[in-house]
Amino acid sequence: MTNPIADPIVEVPDTDAMSPLVHIDSTPEGAVTVWINRPEKKNAFDSATIAALAQAFETLHGAEGVRVVFLRGVGGTFCAGADLEWMAAAADWSEDDNRTDALELAHMLKALHDVPALTVALVEGAAFGGGAGLVAACDHALATADAKFAFSEVKLGLTPATISPYVIAALGPRTSKLLFATGRVFDADAAWSYGLVDEVFDDVEGLVAAQDALIEEVTPCAPGAIGDAKALVNDFAFEKIDRGLIDDSARRIARRRVSDEGQEGLRAFLAKRKPSWIAESQ
């Protein structure tokens, strides 16, 4: 029988069953890379791509043993925003049609935000509009120095409504107002100063090296504990530290201590051995 603690990957999405618009790689260490696979369109969104990403992220909600999920674009571009042909078709839709379509993007972004594993955007080339929203919806973001970003919706008479909750959470209200209102294009260093990107690298080789280093860093960590640690931040951020929150925090650590991972981790520490979620070769 498969042991969800000892075996790093119990279940990951079957790439053969996924849309060709999204490709998924996984490693024995519990690292998954979700690739947006429309290089001929600079990985721009259309309804099919949004649906394929949503399917991938939702499947990862139940993938045991996954520690970190990387999001990247095939062909050297992260995501150029909305596909022009898709936008042209939408020009003739009713308000109800547009609302239904926007909800698909909103649900996809929420599915990404709710992935239990640590989520990391690996940004090369352009991350415009909804592509920049994907970056904001991840927990962490790394970029090459030549990457470009923009929330350019106002230049089309639109607003970045569906991505705005994640952008505002990452950048804060004042910076979000500036970037939303101007639609300015900014580089990776500016993205770092704004808080959209956490680290900038000279080239793709540096980006990949940082990816490998992060995999190595999370490999000793219990997969379920990573998810619960993320939930602490999502649930407790900006909440008042009152009796209810204190009680909730105590319940959570108590539940962790009696969990399979908590028991195994504590017993391994006391016995001065590696916990069973770390392979013997590591």
Side-chain angles (χ1 to χ4, degrees), residues 2 4-5 10 17 47 54 56 65-66 76 88 101 139 182 186 190 199 230 237 239:
T2 302
I5 296 177
V10 172
S47 57
V66 177
D101 182 72
D139 303 317
T182 62
F186 52 98
E199 294 183 75
K230 272 188 59 171
E239 292 295 315

Side-chain angles (χ1 to χ4, degrees), residues 21-91:
L21 299 172
V22 170
H23 178 70
I24 296 178
D25 294 329
S26 62
T27 74
E29 294 81 19
V32 171
T33 302
V34 177
W35 295 86
I36 308 173
N37 188 29
R38 295 189 81 207
E40 73 286 355
K41 296 288 187 178
K42 296 189 181 297
N43 299 315
F45 286 146
D46 62 4
S47 57
T49 307
I50 291 170
L53 284 168
Q55 180 188 6
F57 299 144
E58 288 166 3
T59 303
L60 287 167
H61 291 185
E64 296 181 17
V66 177
R67 294 175 169 91
V68 59
V69 174
F70 298 97
L71 180 60
R72 193 174 179 187
V74 172
T77 297
F78 184 74
C79 176
D83 180 272
L84 293 178
E85 294 179 5
W86 181 47
M87 292 176 65

Side-chain angles (χ1 to χ4, degrees), residues 99-110:
R99 180 177 181 275
T100 298
D101 182 72
L103 279 172
E104 294 299 319
L105 176 58
H107 290 321
M108 181 270 283
L109 290 166
K110 185 63 163 58

